[in-house]
Short mmCIF file of all heavy atoms in Angstrom, two decimals:
data_model
loop_
_atom_site.label_atom_id
_atom_site.label_comp_id
_atom_site.label_asym_id
_atom_site.label_seq_id
_atom_site.Cartn_x
_atom_site.Cartn_y
_atom_site.Cartn_z
N LEU A 113 -12.60 -20.88 -5.19
CA LEU A 113 -13.30 -21.23 -6.42
C LEU A 113 -12.38 -21.11 -7.62
O LEU A 113 -12.35 -22.00 -8.49
CB LEU A 113 -14.52 -20.32 -6.59
CG LEU A 113 -15.35 -20.53 -7.86
CD1 LEU A 113 -15.97 -21.91 -7.86
CD2 LEU A 113 -16.43 -19.46 -7.97
N SER A 114 -11.62 -20.03 -7.68
CA SER A 114 -10.72 -19.81 -8.80
C SER A 114 -9.64 -20.88 -8.86
O SER A 114 -9.33 -21.42 -9.93
CB SER A 114 -10.09 -18.43 -8.70
OG SER A 114 -9.15 -18.22 -9.73
N GLY A 115 -9.04 -21.19 -7.71
CA GLY A 115 -7.96 -22.16 -7.70
C GLY A 115 -8.43 -23.58 -7.96
O GLY A 115 -7.69 -24.38 -8.55
N TYR A 116 -9.64 -23.91 -7.55
CA TYR A 116 -10.12 -25.28 -7.72
C TYR A 116 -10.70 -25.52 -9.13
O TYR A 116 -10.40 -26.52 -9.76
CB TYR A 116 -11.20 -25.59 -6.69
CG TYR A 116 -11.79 -26.98 -6.83
CD1 TYR A 116 -11.05 -28.11 -6.48
CD2 TYR A 116 -13.08 -27.15 -7.33
CE1 TYR A 116 -11.59 -29.38 -6.62
CE2 TYR A 116 -13.62 -28.42 -7.47
CZ TYR A 116 -12.87 -29.53 -7.12
OH TYR A 116 -13.40 -30.79 -7.26
N VAL A 117 -11.50 -24.58 -9.62
CA VAL A 117 -12.13 -24.76 -10.93
C VAL A 117 -11.12 -24.58 -12.05
O VAL A 117 -11.07 -25.38 -13.00
CB VAL A 117 -13.31 -23.77 -11.09
CG1 VAL A 117 -13.90 -23.86 -12.50
CG2 VAL A 117 -14.38 -24.05 -10.05
N GLY A 118 -10.28 -23.53 -11.97
CA GLY A 118 -9.29 -23.29 -13.00
C GLY A 118 -9.91 -22.89 -14.32
O GLY A 118 -11.06 -22.42 -14.39
N GLY A 119 -9.15 -23.07 -15.39
CA GLY A 119 -9.66 -22.80 -16.72
C GLY A 119 -9.98 -21.34 -16.96
O GLY A 119 -9.34 -20.43 -16.42
N TRP A 120 -11.01 -21.08 -17.78
CA TRP A 120 -11.36 -19.72 -18.14
C TRP A 120 -11.91 -18.93 -16.96
O TRP A 120 -11.76 -17.71 -16.89
CB TRP A 120 -12.37 -19.72 -19.29
CG TRP A 120 -13.70 -20.35 -18.96
CD1 TRP A 120 -14.04 -21.65 -19.12
CD2 TRP A 120 -14.83 -19.69 -18.41
NE1 TRP A 120 -15.33 -21.86 -18.70
CE2 TRP A 120 -15.85 -20.67 -18.27
CE3 TRP A 120 -15.11 -18.39 -18.01
CZ2 TRP A 120 -17.09 -20.38 -17.74
CZ3 TRP A 120 -16.36 -18.10 -17.50
CH2 TRP A 120 -17.34 -19.09 -17.37
N VAL A 121 -12.54 -19.66 -16.00
CA VAL A 121 -13.03 -18.98 -14.80
C VAL A 121 -11.87 -18.38 -14.02
O VAL A 121 -11.91 -17.22 -13.58
CB VAL A 121 -13.83 -19.96 -13.92
CG1 VAL A 121 -14.22 -19.29 -12.60
CG2 VAL A 121 -15.06 -20.47 -14.64
N ASP A 122 -10.81 -19.15 -13.88
CA ASP A 122 -9.62 -18.69 -13.15
C ASP A 122 -8.96 -17.52 -13.90
O ASP A 122 -8.55 -16.55 -13.27
CB ASP A 122 -8.65 -19.85 -12.98
CG ASP A 122 -7.40 -19.45 -12.21
OD1 ASP A 122 -7.55 -18.75 -11.19
OD2 ASP A 122 -6.29 -19.83 -12.61
N GLU A 123 -8.88 -17.63 -15.21
CA GLU A 123 -8.23 -16.58 -15.99
C GLU A 123 -8.96 -15.24 -15.86
O GLU A 123 -8.36 -14.20 -15.61
CB GLU A 123 -8.16 -16.99 -17.46
CG GLU A 123 -7.13 -18.06 -17.76
CD GLU A 123 -5.71 -17.59 -17.51
OE1 GLU A 123 -5.45 -16.39 -17.70
OE2 GLU A 123 -4.86 -18.42 -17.13
N ILE A 124 -10.28 -15.27 -16.04
CA ILE A 124 -11.06 -14.03 -15.95
C ILE A 124 -10.99 -13.45 -14.55
O ILE A 124 -10.78 -12.24 -14.37
CB ILE A 124 -12.52 -14.30 -16.36
CG1 ILE A 124 -12.60 -14.68 -17.84
CG2 ILE A 124 -13.39 -13.07 -16.08
CD1 ILE A 124 -14.00 -15.05 -18.30
N MET A 125 -11.15 -14.32 -13.55
CA MET A 125 -11.16 -13.84 -12.17
C MET A 125 -9.81 -13.23 -11.78
O MET A 125 -9.75 -12.19 -11.11
CB MET A 125 -11.53 -14.99 -11.23
CG MET A 125 -11.95 -14.54 -9.85
SD MET A 125 -12.56 -15.93 -8.86
CE MET A 125 -14.03 -16.38 -9.80
N GLN A 126 -8.73 -13.85 -12.22
CA GLN A 126 -7.41 -13.35 -11.88
C GLN A 126 -7.11 -12.02 -12.54
O GLN A 126 -6.45 -11.16 -11.97
CB GLN A 126 -6.34 -14.38 -12.25
CG GLN A 126 -6.34 -15.61 -11.36
CD GLN A 126 -6.33 -15.26 -9.89
OE1 GLN A 126 -5.47 -14.53 -9.40
NE2 GLN A 126 -7.32 -15.76 -9.17
N ARG A 127 -7.59 -11.84 -13.77
CA ARG A 127 -7.35 -10.54 -14.43
C ARG A 127 -8.08 -9.42 -13.71
O ARG A 127 -7.56 -8.31 -13.56
CB ARG A 127 -7.81 -10.61 -15.88
CG ARG A 127 -7.12 -11.65 -16.75
CD ARG A 127 -5.63 -11.40 -16.93
NE ARG A 127 -4.83 -11.87 -15.81
CZ ARG A 127 -4.49 -13.15 -15.64
NH1 ARG A 127 -4.92 -14.08 -16.46
NH2 ARG A 127 -3.73 -13.50 -14.63
N VAL A 128 -9.30 -9.71 -13.25
CA VAL A 128 -10.06 -8.70 -12.50
C VAL A 128 -9.37 -8.40 -11.17
O VAL A 128 -9.23 -7.23 -10.77
CB VAL A 128 -11.51 -9.18 -12.26
CG1 VAL A 128 -12.25 -8.20 -11.37
CG2 VAL A 128 -12.23 -9.34 -13.59
N LEU A 129 -8.93 -9.44 -10.47
CA LEU A 129 -8.27 -9.24 -9.18
C LEU A 129 -6.95 -8.50 -9.35
O LEU A 129 -6.62 -7.63 -8.54
CB LEU A 129 -8.03 -10.60 -8.51
CG LEU A 129 -9.27 -11.38 -8.08
CD1 LEU A 129 -8.89 -12.72 -7.48
CD2 LEU A 129 -10.10 -10.57 -7.09
N GLU A 130 -6.21 -8.80 -10.40
CA GLU A 130 -4.95 -8.10 -10.65
C GLU A 130 -5.18 -6.62 -10.93
O GLU A 130 -4.38 -5.77 -10.52
CB GLU A 130 -4.21 -8.77 -11.81
CG GLU A 130 -3.60 -10.12 -11.46
CD GLU A 130 -3.04 -10.82 -12.67
OE1 GLU A 130 -3.13 -10.24 -13.78
OE2 GLU A 130 -2.51 -11.93 -12.53
N ALA A 131 -6.26 -6.33 -11.63
CA ALA A 131 -6.58 -4.92 -11.90
C ALA A 131 -6.88 -4.17 -10.60
O ALA A 131 -6.45 -3.02 -10.41
CB ALA A 131 -7.77 -4.83 -12.85
N LEU A 132 -7.60 -4.82 -9.69
CA LEU A 132 -7.91 -4.18 -8.41
C LEU A 132 -6.67 -4.06 -7.53
O LEU A 132 -6.47 -3.04 -6.86
CB LEU A 132 -8.99 -4.97 -7.68
CG LEU A 132 -10.38 -4.98 -8.32
CD1 LEU A 132 -11.32 -5.91 -7.57
CD2 LEU A 132 -10.96 -3.57 -8.37
N ILE A 133 -5.83 -5.09 -7.55
CA ILE A 133 -4.62 -5.06 -6.72
C ILE A 133 -3.64 -4.00 -7.21
O ILE A 133 -2.87 -3.43 -6.42
CB ILE A 133 -3.97 -6.46 -6.72
CG1 ILE A 133 -4.85 -7.45 -5.96
CG2 ILE A 133 -2.58 -6.42 -6.08
CD1 ILE A 133 -4.37 -8.88 -6.01
#
Side-chain angles (χ1 to χ4, degrees):
L113 179 63
S114 177
Y116 178 72
V117 175
W120 63 269
V121 174
D122 182 44
E123 286 295 328
I124 294 176
M125 196 173 295
Q126 289 310 305
R127 300 296 81 80
V128 174
L129 294 178
E130 287 173 0
L132 293 175
I133 291 174

